[in-house]
Amino acid sequence: MAAEGDEASGPQTVAAGQLRAFVERIERVQEDIDALSDDRKEIYAEAKAMGFDTKAVRAIVKLRKLDPTERQEAEAVLDTYKAALGME
């Protein structure tokens, strides 16, 4: 015969186990992200050592993430702002 407290701890134990599994997965993914971030830093350092402007490389990477329509819109807004400030 199970005590009433034992029944209540069953679902709590399962929930705690699930929570632990989620936290551990998140931690593993964060470790992967950190490792990839270090890799990215090394790539930018290598590009800089080869004479490339890393600010420009970062801008190109950012632009390549956009679909062509979004990229054209962003460039049009930038051109408009530059013209308004007499930078063209």
Coordinates of all heavy atoms in Angstrom, one line a residue:
M1 N 0.8 -1.2 0.0 CA 0.0 0.0 0.0 C 0.9 1.2 0.0 O 1.7 1.4 0.9 CB -0.9 0.0 1.3 CG -1.9 1.0 1.2 SD -3.1 0.4 2.3 CE -3.6 1.6 3.4
A2 N 0.7 2.1 -1.0 CA 1.6 3.3 -1.2 C 1.0 4.4 -0.4 O -0.2 4.6 -0.3 CB 1.7 3.7 -2.6
A3 N 1.8 5.2 0.2 CA 1.4 6.3 1.0 C 1.1 7.4 0.0 O 1.5 7.5 -1.1 CB 2.5 6.8 1.9
E4 N 0.2 8.3 0.5 CA -0.2 9.4 -0.3 C 1.0 10.3 -0.8 O 1.0 10.8 -1.9 CB -1.2 10.3 0.4 CG -2.3 10.8 -0.4 CD -3.4 11.5 0.4 OE1 -4.1 10.9 1.2 OE2 -3.4 12.8 0.3
G5 N 2.0 10.5 0.0 CA 3.2 11.3 -0.3 C 3.9 10.7 -1.5 O 4.5 11.3 -2.3
D6 N 3.9 9.3 -1.5 CA 4.7 8.6 -2.6 C 4.0 8.9 -4.0 O 4.8 9.1 -4.9 CB 4.7 7.1 -2.4 CG 5.5 6.7 -1.1 OD1 6.4 7.5 -0.7 OD2 5.4 5.6 -0.6
E7 N 2.7 8.9 -4.0 CA 2.1 9.2 -5.3 C 2.4 10.6 -5.8 O 2.6 10.9 -6.9 CB 0.5 9.0 -5.1 CG 0.1 7.6 -4.9 CD -1.3 7.4 -4.7 OE1 -2.1 8.4 -4.8 OE2 -1.8 6.3 -4.3
A8 N 2.4 11.6 -4.8 CA 2.7 12.9 -5.2 C 4.1 13.1 -5.7 O 4.4 13.9 -6.5 CB 2.4 13.9 -4.0
S9 N 5.0 12.3 -5.1 CA 6.4 12.5 -5.5 C 6.7 11.9 -6.9 O 7.6 12.2 -7.5 CB 7.4 11.9 -4.5 OG 7.2 10.5 -4.4
G10 N 5.9 10.9 -7.3 CA 6.1 10.3 -8.6 C 6.1 11.3 -9.8 O 7.0 11.4 -10.5
P11 N 5.0 12.1 -9.9 CA 5.0 13.1 -11.0 C 6.0 14.2 -10.8 O 6.6 14.6 -11.8 CB 3.6 13.7 -10.9 CG 2.7 12.7 -10.3 CD 3.7 12.0 -9.3
Q12 N 6.3 14.5 -9.6 CA 7.4 15.5 -9.3 C 8.7 15.0 -9.7 O 9.6 15.7 -10.3 CB 7.4 15.9 -7.8 CG 6.2 16.7 -7.4 CD 6.2 17.0 -5.9 OE1 7.0 16.5 -5.2 NE2 5.2 17.9 -5.5
T13 N 9.0 13.7 -9.5 CA 10.2 13.1 -9.9 C 10.4 13.0 -11.4 O 11.4 13.3 -11.9 CB 10.3 11.6 -9.3 OG1 10.2 11.7 -7.9 CG2 11.6 11.0 -9.6
V14 N 9.3 12.7 -12.1 CA 9.3 12.7 -13.5 C 9.6 14.1 -14.0 O 10.4 14.3 -14.9 CB 8.0 12.1 -14.1 CG1 7.9 12.3 -15.6 CG2 7.8 10.7 -13.7
A15 N 8.9 15.1 -13.5 CA 9.0 16.5 -13.9 C 10.5 16.9 -13.7 O 11.1 17.6 -14.5 CB 8.0 17.4 -13.2
A16 N 11.0 16.6 -12.5 CA 12.4 17.0 -12.2 C 13.4 16.3 -13.2 O 14.3 16.9 -13.6 CB 12.7 16.6 -10.8
G17 N 13.1 15.1 -13.5 CA 14.0 14.4 -14.5 C 13.9 15.0 -15.9 O 14.9 15.2 -16.5
Q18 N 12.7 15.4 -16.3 CA 12.5 16.1 -17.6 C 13.2 17.4 -17.6 O 13.9 17.8 -18.5 CB 11.0 16.2 -17.9 CG 10.3 15.0 -18.2 CD 8.8 15.1 -18.4 OE1 8.2 16.0 -17.8 NE2 8.2 14.3 -19.2
L19 N 13.1 18.1 -16.4 CA 13.7 19.5 -16.3 C 15.2 19.3 -16.4 O 15.9 20.1 -17.1 CB 13.3 20.1 -15.0 CG 14.0 21.5 -14.7 CD1 13.6 22.5 -15.8 CD2 13.5 22.0 -13.4
R20 N 15.8 18.3 -15.7 CA 17.2 18.1 -15.7 C 17.7 17.8 -17.1 O 18.7 18.3 -17.6 CB 17.6 16.9 -14.8 CG 19.1 16.6 -14.7 CD 19.4 15.5 -13.7 NE 19.2 16.0 -12.4 CZ 18.2 15.7 -11.5 NH1 17.3 14.8 -12.0 NH2 18.1 16.1 -10.3
A21 N 16.9 17.0 -17.8 CA 17.2 16.6 -19.2 C 17.3 17.8 -20.1 O 18.2 18.0 -20.9 CB 16.3 15.6 -19.8
F22 N 16.3 18.7 -20.0 CA 16.2 20.0 -20.7 C 17.4 20.8 -20.4 O 18.1 21.4 -21.3 CB 14.9 20.8 -20.5 CG 13.7 20.2 -21.2 CD1 12.6 19.9 -20.5 CD2 13.7 20.0 -22.5 CE1 11.5 19.4 -21.1 CE2 12.6 19.5 -23.2 CZ 11.5 19.2 -22.5
V23 N 17.7 21.0 -19.2 CA 18.8 21.8 -18.7 C 20.2 21.3 -19.3 O 21.0 22.0 -19.8 CB 18.9 22.0 -17.2 CG1 20.2 22.6 -16.8 CG2 17.7 22.8 -16.7
E24 N 20.3 20.0 -19.2 CA 21.6 19.4 -19.7 C 21.7 19.5 -21.2 O 22.8 19.8 -21.7 CB 21.6 17.9 -19.3 CG 21.9 17.7 -17.8 CD 21.8 16.3 -17.3 OE1 21.3 15.4 -18.1 OE2 22.0 16.1 -16.1
R25 N 20.6 19.4 -21.9 CA 20.6 19.6 -23.4 C 21.0 21.0 -23.7 O 21.8 21.3 -24.6 CB 19.3 19.3 -24.0 CG 19.0 17.8 -24.1 CD 17.6 17.4 -24.6 NE 17.2 18.1 -25.8 CZ 16.0 18.2 -26.2 NH1 15.0 17.8 -25.5 NH2 15.7 18.8 -27.3
I26 N 20.4 22.0 -23.0 CA 20.7 23.4 -23.2 C 22.2 23.7 -22.9 O 22.8 24.4 -23.7 CB 19.8 24.3 -22.3 CG1 18.3 24.2 -22.8 CG2 20.3 25.7 -22.3 CD1 17.3 24.8 -21.9
E27 N 22.7 23.1 -21.9 CA 24.1 23.3 -21.6 C 25.0 22.7 -22.7 O 26.0 23.3 -23.0 CB 24.4 22.6 -20.2 CG 23.8 23.3 -19.0 CD 24.0 22.6 -17.7 OE1 24.2 21.3 -17.8 OE2 23.8 23.2 -16.7
R28 N 24.7 21.5 -23.2 CA 25.5 21.0 -24.3 C 25.4 21.9 -25.5 O 26.4 22.1 -26.2 CB 25.0 19.5 -24.6 CG 25.5 18.5 -23.7 CD 25.2 17.1 -24.2 NE 23.8 16.8 -24.4 CZ 22.9 16.4 -23.6 NH1 23.3 16.2 -22.3 NH2 21.7 16.1 -23.9
V29 N 24.2 22.4 -25.9 CA 24.1 23.2 -27.0 C 24.9 24.5 -26.8 O 25.5 25.0 -27.7 CB 22.6 23.6 -27.3 CG1 22.4 24.7 -28.3 CG2 21.9 22.3 -27.8
Q30 N 24.8 25.1 -25.6 CA 25.6 26.3 -25.3 C 27.1 26.0 -25.4 O 27.8 26.9 -25.9 CB 25.3 26.8 -23.9 CG 25.9 28.1 -23.6 CD 25.5 29.2 -24.5 OE1 24.3 29.4 -24.7 NE2 26.4 29.9 -25.1
E31 N 27.6 24.9 -25.0 CA 29.0 24.5 -25.2 C 29.3 24.5 -26.7 O 30.4 25.0 -27.1 CB 29.3 23.2 -24.6 CG 29.3 23.2 -23.1 CD 29.4 21.8 -22.5 OE1 29.6 20.8 -23.2 OE2 29.4 21.7 -21.2
D32 N 28.4 23.9 -27.5 CA 28.6 23.9 -29.0 C 28.7 25.3 -29.5 O 29.5 25.6 -30.4 CB 27.5 23.1 -29.7 CG 27.6 21.6 -29.4 OD1 28.6 21.1 -28.9 OD2 26.6 20.9 -29.6
I33 N 27.7 26.2 -29.1 CA 27.7 27.5 -29.5 C 29.0 28.3 -29.2 O 29.5 29.0 -30.0 CB 26.5 28.3 -29.0 CG1 25.2 27.7 -29.6 CG2 26.6 29.8 -29.2 CD1 23.9 28.2 -28.9
D34 N 29.5 28.1 -28.0 CA 30.7 28.7 -27.5 C 31.9 28.3 -28.4 O 32.7 29.1 -28.8 CB 31.0 28.4 -26.1 CG 30.0 29.1 -25.1 OD1 29.2 30.0 -25.6 OD2 29.9 28.7 -24.0
A35 N 31.9 27.0 -28.7 CA 33.0 26.4 -29.5 C 32.9 27.0 -30.9 O 34.0 27.4 -31.5 CB 33.0 24.9 -29.6
L36 N 31.7 27.1 -31.5 CA 31.6 27.7 -32.8 C 31.9 29.2 -32.8 O 32.5 29.7 -33.8 CB 30.2 27.4 -33.3 CG 29.8 25.9 -33.7 CD1 28.4 25.8 -34.0 CD2 30.7 25.5 -34.8
S37 N 31.6 29.8 -31.8 CA 31.9 31.3 -31.7 C 33.4 31.5 -31.7 O 33.9 32.4 -32.3 CB 31.3 31.8 -30.4 OG 31.6 33.2 -30.3
D38 N 34.1 30.6 -31.0 CA 35.6 30.7 -31.0 C 36.1 30.4 -32.4 O 37.0 31.1 -32.8 CB 36.2 29.7 -30.0 CG 35.9 30.0 -28.5 OD1 35.6 31.2 -28.3 OD2 36.0 29.2 -27.7
D39 N 35.5 29.4 -33.1 CA 35.9 29.2 -34.5 C 35.7 30.4 -35.3 O 36.5 30.7 -36.2 CB 35.1 28.0 -35.0 CG 35.5 26.6 -34.4 OD1 36.5 26.6 -33.7 OD2 34.7 25.7 -34.6
R40 N 34.5 31.0 -35.2 CA 34.2 32.2 -36.0 C 35.3 33.3 -35.7 O 35.8 34.0 -36.6 CB 32.8 32.7 -35.7 CG 32.4 33.9 -36.5 CD 31.0 34.4 -36.2 NE 30.8 34.6 -34.8 CZ 29.6 34.5 -34.2 NH1 28.6 34.1 -34.9 NH2 29.5 34.6 -32.9
K41 N 35.6 33.5 -34.4 CA 36.7 34.5 -34.1 C 38.0 34.2 -34.8 O 38.7 35.1 -35.3 CB 36.9 34.6 -32.6 CG 35.7 35.2 -31.8 CD 36.0 35.2 -30.3 CE 34.7 35.6 -29.6 NZ 34.9 35.4 -28.1
E42 N 38.3 32.9 -34.8 CA 39.6 32.5 -35.5 C 39.5 32.8 -37.0 O 40.5 33.2 -37.6 CB 39.9 31.1 -35.2 CG 40.2 30.8 -33.8 CD 40.4 29.3 -33.5 OE1 40.6 28.5 -34.4 OE2 40.4 28.9 -32.3
I43 N 38.4 32.6 -37.6 CA 38.2 32.8 -39.0 C 38.4 34.3 -39.3 O 39.1 34.7 -40.3 CB 36.9 32.3 -39.5 CG1 36.9 30.7 -39.4 CG2 36.6 32.7 -41.0 CD1 35.5 30.1 -39.6
Y44 N 37.7 35.2 -38.5 CA 37.9 36.6 -38.7 C 39.3 37.0 -38.5 O 39.8 37.9 -39.2 CB 36.9 37.4 -37.8 CG 35.5 37.4 -38.3 CD1 34.5 36.8 -37.6 CD2 35.2 38.1 -39.5 CE1 33.2 36.9 -38.1 CE2 33.9 38.2 -40.0 CZ 32.9 37.6 -39.3 OH 31.6 37.7 -39.8
A45 N 40.0 36.5 -37.5 CA 41.4 36.8 -37.3 C 42.3 36.4 -38.5 O 43.2 37.1 -38.9 CB 41.9 36.1 -36.0
E46 N 42.0 35.2 -39.0 CA 42.7 34.7 -40.2 C 42.5 35.7 -41.4 O 43.4 36.0 -42.1 CB 42.3 33.3 -40.5 CG 43.0 32.7 -41.7 CD 42.6 31.3 -41.9 OE1 41.9 30.6 -41.1 OE2 42.9 30.8 -43.0
A47 N 41.2 36.1 -41.6 CA 40.9 37.0 -42.7 C 41.6 38.3 -42.5 O 42.2 38.9 -43.4 CB 39.4 37.2 -42.8
K48 N 41.7 38.8 -41.2 CA 42.4 40.1 -41.0 C 43.8 39.9 -41.2 O 44.5 40.8 -41.8 CB 42.1 40.5 -39.5 CG 42.8 41.8 -39.1 CD 42.4 42.2 -37.7 CE 43.0 43.6 -37.4 NZ 42.6 44.0 -36.1
A49 N 44.4 38.8 -40.8 CA 45.8 38.5 -41.1 C 46.2 38.5 -42.6 O 47.3 38.8 -43.0 CB 46.3 37.2 -40.4
M50 N 45.2 38.1 -43.4 CA 45.4 38.1 -44.8 C 45.1 39.4 -45.5 O 45.1 39.5 -46.7 CB 44.4 37.0 -45.5 CG 44.7 35.6 -45.0 SD 46.3 35.0 -45.5 CE 46.1 34.9 -47.3
G51 N 44.8 40.4 -44.7 CA 44.6 41.8 -45.2 C 43.2 42.2 -45.5 O 43.0 43.3 -46.0
F52 N 42.2 41.4 -45.1 CA 40.8 41.7 -45.4 C 40.3 42.6 -44.2 O 40.7 42.5 -43.1 CB 39.9 40.5 -45.5 CG 40.2 39.7 -46.7 CD1 41.0 38.6 -46.7 CD2 39.6 40.1 -47.9 CE1 41.3 37.9 -47.9 CE2 39.9 39.4 -49.1 CZ 40.7 38.3 -49.1
D53 N 39.4 43.5 -44.5 CA 38.8 44.4 -43.6 C 37.6 43.6 -42.9 O 36.6 43.3 -43.6 CB 38.2 45.7 -44.3 CG 37.6 46.6 -43.3 OD1 36.9 46.2 -42.3 OD2 37.7 47.8 -43.6
T54 N 37.8 43.3 -41.6 CA 36.8 42.4 -41.0 C 35.5 43.1 -40.8 O 34.4 42.4 -40.8 CB 37.3 41.9 -39.6 OG1 37.7 43.0 -38.8 CG2 38.5 41.0 -39.9
K55 N 35.4 44.4 -40.7 CA 34.1 45.1 -40.6 C 33.4 44.9 -41.9 O 32.2 44.6 -41.9 CB 34.3 46.6 -40.3 CG 34.8 46.9 -38.9 CD 34.9 48.4 -38.7 CE 35.4 48.7 -37.3 NZ 35.5 50.2 -37.1
A56 N 34.1 45.0 -43.0 CA 33.4 44.8 -44.3 C 33.0 43.3 -44.5 O 31.9 43.1 -44.9 CB 34.3 45.2 -45.4
V57 N 33.8 42.4 -44.0 CA 33.4 41.0 -44.1 C 32.2 40.7 -43.3 O 31.3 40.0 -43.7 CB 34.6 40.1 -43.7 CG1 34.2 38.6 -43.6 CG2 35.8 40.2 -44.6
R58 N 32.2 41.3 -42.0 CA 31.0 41.1 -41.2 C 29.7 41.7 -41.8 O 28.7 41.1 -41.8 CB 31.2 41.8 -39.8 CG 32.2 41.0 -38.9 CD 32.4 41.8 -37.6 NE 33.5 41.2 -36.9 CZ 33.4 40.2 -36.1 NH1 32.3 39.5 -35.9 NH2 34.5 39.7 -35.4
A59 N 29.9 42.8 -42.5 CA 28.7 43.5 -43.2 C 28.2 42.6 -44.3 O 27.0 42.4 -44.5 CB 29.1 44.8 -43.7
I60 N 29.2 42.0 -45.1 CA 28.8 41.1 -46.1 C 28.1 39.8 -45.6 O 27.0 39.4 -46.1 CB 30.0 40.7 -47.0 CG1 30.6 41.9 -47.7 CG2 29.7 39.5 -47.9 CD1 29.7 42.5 -48.7
V61 N 28.6 39.3 -44.5 CA 28.0 38.1 -43.9 C 26.5 38.4 -43.5 O 25.6 37.7 -43.7 CB 28.8 37.6 -42.7 CG1 28.0 36.5 -41.9 CG2 30.1 37.0 -43.2
K62 N 26.4 39.6 -42.9 CA 25.0 40.1 -42.5 C 24.1 40.2 -43.7 O 22.9 39.8 -43.6 CB 25.2 41.4 -41.7 CG 23.9 41.9 -41.1 CD 24.1 43.1 -40.3 CE 22.8 43.6 -39.7 NZ 23.0 44.9 -38.9
L63 N 24.6 40.8 -44.7 CA 23.8 41.0 -45.9 C 23.4 39.7 -46.6 O 22.3 39.6 -47.1 CB 24.5 41.9 -46.9 CG 24.6 43.4 -46.6 CD1 25.5 44.1 -47.6 CD2 23.2 44.0 -46.5
R64 N 24.3 38.8 -46.6 CA 24.0 37.5 -47.2 C 23.0 36.7 -46.5 O 22.4 35.8 -47.0 CB 25.3 36.6 -47.3 CG 26.2 37.2 -48.4 CD 27.6 36.4 -48.4 NE 27.4 35.0 -48.5 CZ 27.8 34.2 -49.5 NH1 28.2 34.8 -50.6 NH2 27.7 32.9 -49.4
K65 N 22.7 37.0 -45.2 CA 21.7 36.3 -44.4 C 20.3 36.7 -44.9 O 19.3 36.0 -44.7 CB 21.8 36.7 -42.9 CG 22.9 36.0 -42.3 CD 22.9 36.4 -40.8 CE 24.2 35.8 -40.1 NZ 24.2 36.2 -38.7
L66 N 20.2 37.9 -45.5 CA 18.9 38.5 -46.0 C 18.5 37.9 -47.3 O 19.4 37.6 -48.1 CB 19.0 40.0 -46.1 CG 19.4 40.8 -44.9 CD1 19.5 42.3 -45.2 CD2 18.4 40.6 -43.7
D67 N 17.2 37.8 -47.5 CA 16.8 37.4 -48.9 C 17.0 38.6 -49.8 O 17.1 39.7 -49.3 CB 15.4 36.8 -48.9 CG 14.3 37.8 -48.6 OD1 14.3 38.9 -49.2 OD2 13.4 37.5 -47.8
P68 N 17.0 38.4 -51.1 CA 17.3 39.5 -52.0 C 16.4 40.7 -51.8 O 16.9 41.8 -51.9 CB 17.2 38.8 -53.4 CG 17.5 37.4 -53.2 CD 16.9 37.1 -51.8
T69 N 15.1 40.5 -51.6 CA 14.2 41.6 -51.5 C 14.5 42.4 -50.2 O 14.6 43.6 -50.2 CB 12.7 41.1 -51.4 OG1 12.5 40.3 -52.6 CG2 11.8 42.2 -51.3
E70 N 14.8 41.7 -49.1 CA 15.1 42.4 -47.9 C 16.4 43.2 -48.0 O 16.6 44.3 -47.5 CB 15.3 41.4 -46.7 CG 14.0 40.8 -46.2 CD 14.2 39.8 -45.1 OE1 15.1 39.0 -45.2 OE2 13.4 39.8 -44.2
R71 N 17.4 42.6 -48.7 CA 18.7 43.2 -48.9 C 18.5 44.5 -49.7 O 19.1 45.5 -49.4 CB 19.6 42.2 -49.6 CG 21.0 42.8 -49.7 CD 22.1 41.8 -50.2 NE 21.6 40.9 -51.3 CZ 21.5 39.6 -51.2 NH1 21.7 39.0 -50.0 NH2 21.1 38.9 -52.2
Q72 N 17.7 44.4 -50.8 CA 17.5 45.6 -51.7 C 16.8 46.7 -50.9 O 17.1 47.9 -51.0 CB 16.6 45.2 -52.9 CG 17.4 44.4 -53.9 CD 16.5 43.8 -55.0 OE1 15.2 43.9 -54.9 NE2 17.1 43.3 -56.0
E73 N 15.8 46.3 -50.0 CA 15.1 47.3 -49.2 C 16.1 48.0 -48.2 O 16.1 49.2 -48.1 CB 14.0 46.7 -48.4 CG 12.8 46.3 -49.3 CD 11.7 45.5 -48.6 OE1 11.9 45.3 -47.3 OE2 10.8 45.1 -49.2
A74 N 17.0 47.2 -47.6 CA 17.9 47.7 -46.6 C 18.9 48.7 -47.3 O 19.2 49.7 -46.8 CB 18.7 46.6 -45.9
E75 N 19.4 48.3 -48.5 CA 20.3 49.1 -49.2 C 19.6 50.4 -49.7 O 20.3 51.5 -49.7 CB 20.9 48.3 -50.4 CG 21.8 47.2 -50.0 CD 22.3 46.3 -51.1 OE1 21.7 46.4 -52.2 OE2 23.2 45.5 -50.8
A76 N 18.4 50.3 -50.1 CA 17.6 51.5 -50.5 C 17.5 52.5 -49.4 O 17.6 53.7 -49.6 CB 16.3 51.1 -51.1
V77 N 17.1 52.0 -48.2 CA 17.0 52.9 -47.0 C 18.3 53.5 -46.7 O 18.4 54.7 -46.5 CB 16.4 52.1 -45.8 CG1 16.5 52.9 -44.6 CG2 15.0 51.6 -46.1
L78 N 19.4 52.7 -46.7 CA 20.7 53.2 -46.5 C 21.1 54.3 -47.5 O 21.6 55.4 -47.1 CB 21.7 52.1 -46.5 CG 23.2 52.5 -46.1 CD1 23.2 53.1 -44.7 CD2 24.1 51.3 -46.2
D79 N 20.8 54.1 -48.7 CA 21.1 55.1 -49.8 C 20.3 56.3 -49.6 O 20.9 57.5 -49.7 CB 20.8 54.5 -51.2 CG 21.8 53.4 -51.6 OD1 22.9 53.4 -51.0 OD2 21.5 52.7 -52.5
T80 N 19.1 56.2 -49.2 CA 18.2 57.4 -48.9 C 18.8 58.2 -47.8 O 18.8 59.4 -47.8 CB 16.8 56.9 -48.6 OG1 16.2 56.2 -49.7 CG2 15.8 58.1 -48.3
Y81 N 19.2 57.5 -46.7 CA 19.7 58.2 -45.5 C 21.0 58.9 -45.8 O 21.3 60.0 -45.4 CB 19.9 57.2 -44.4 CG 18.6 56.8 -43.7 CD1 17.4 57.1 -44.2 CD2 18.7 56.0 -42.5 CE1 16.2 56.7 -43.5 CE2 17.5 55.6 -41.9 CZ 16.3 56.0 -42.4 OH 15.2 55.6 -41.7
K82 N 21.9 58.2 -46.6 CA 23.2 58.8 -47.0 C 22.9 60.0 -47.9 O 23.6 61.1 -47.7 CB 24.0 57.8 -47.7 CG 24.6 56.7 -46.8 CD 25.4 55.6 -47.4 CE 25.7 55.6 -48.8 NZ 26.5 54.4 -49.3
A83 N 22.0 60.0 -48.8 CA 21.7 61.1 -49.6 C 21.1 62.3 -48.8 O 21.5 63.4 -49.0 CB 20.7 60.7 -50.7
A84 N 20.3 62.0 -47.8 CA 19.7 63.0 -47.0 C 20.8 63.7 -46.2 O 20.6 64.9 -45.8 CB 18.6 62.4 -46.1
L85 N 21.8 63.0 -45.9 CA 22.9 63.6 -45.1 C 24.0 64.1 -45.9 O 25.1 64.5 -45.4 CB 23.5 62.5 -44.1 CG 22.5 62.0 -43.0 CD1 23.1 60.9 -42.3 CD2 22.1 63.2 -42.1
G86 N 23.8 64.1 -47.3 CA 24.8 64.6 -48.2 C 26.1 63.8 -48.3 O 27.2 64.3 -48.5
M87 N 25.9 62.5 -48.1 CA 27.1 61.6 -48.1 C 27.3 60.9 -49.4 O 28.2 60.1 -49.6 CB 26.9 60.5 -47.0 CG 26.9 61.1 -45.6 SD 26.5 59.9 -44.3 CE 27.9 58.8 -44.5
E88 N 26.5 61.3 -50.4 CA 26.6 60.6 -51.8 C 27.2 61.6 -52.8 O 27.0 62.8 -52.7 CB 25.2 60.1 -52.2 CG 24.7 59.0 -51.3 CD 24.3 57.8 -52.1 OE1 24.1 57.8 -53.3 OE2 24.3 56.8 -51.4

